[in-house]
Amino acid sequence: MSNRSDIAPDTVSVELTEDGVVVEYLDGRQAFYHGVPTAVEGSIQTAPGKDTHVLITDETETSGILVYVNDLRTHDDILEETGVGRVILDDGEEDELFPGVTVRDNQMRTAVEVDYDVTNGRVFVFEEDELGERSFEIVEG
């Protein structure tokens, strides 16, 4: 049984570069998501069993929130120190990460939907495992 829980995200620094997306955690460390994200309209569903991270920037594109979906490996203390949030979903369950940004668990896949009538930042989805990573930006459709 897991002792992992939902963690509310804090605002982290974001830098969009030609080579990918850099997130600076509250503790000063950085994560680099490689590659220019592939644009998809309105929503995306990840491949099954992948680690899913959702980044929602503000209008300036220099800060935002980062949320891990169904991450059971990272300890609560680490997330709280870094500012990264976490949401744990059961199959078929959904949650609103940010106004206009909804995630749903669907048989080990994560569906992310964006309503751009509600949110005005940018929404990135990073999907990774030990074999590789892919990145997407959900754009208005």
Side-chain angles (χ1 to χ4, degrees), residues 40 53-54 62 68 70 80-81 107 126 131:
V40 294
H53 304 167
V54 180
T62 60
Y68 292 176
N70 287 345
E80 290 167 354
E81 290 171 13
Q107 298 179 352
F126 306 107
L131 300 176

Side-chain angles (χ1 to χ4, degrees), residues 55-72:
L55 173 66
I56 305 159
T57 72
D58 66 4
E59 298 148 348
T60 69
E61 301 174 2
T62 60
S63 64
I65 61 168
L66 179 63
V67 179
Y68 292 176
V69 180
N70 287 345
D71 170 87
L72 298 177

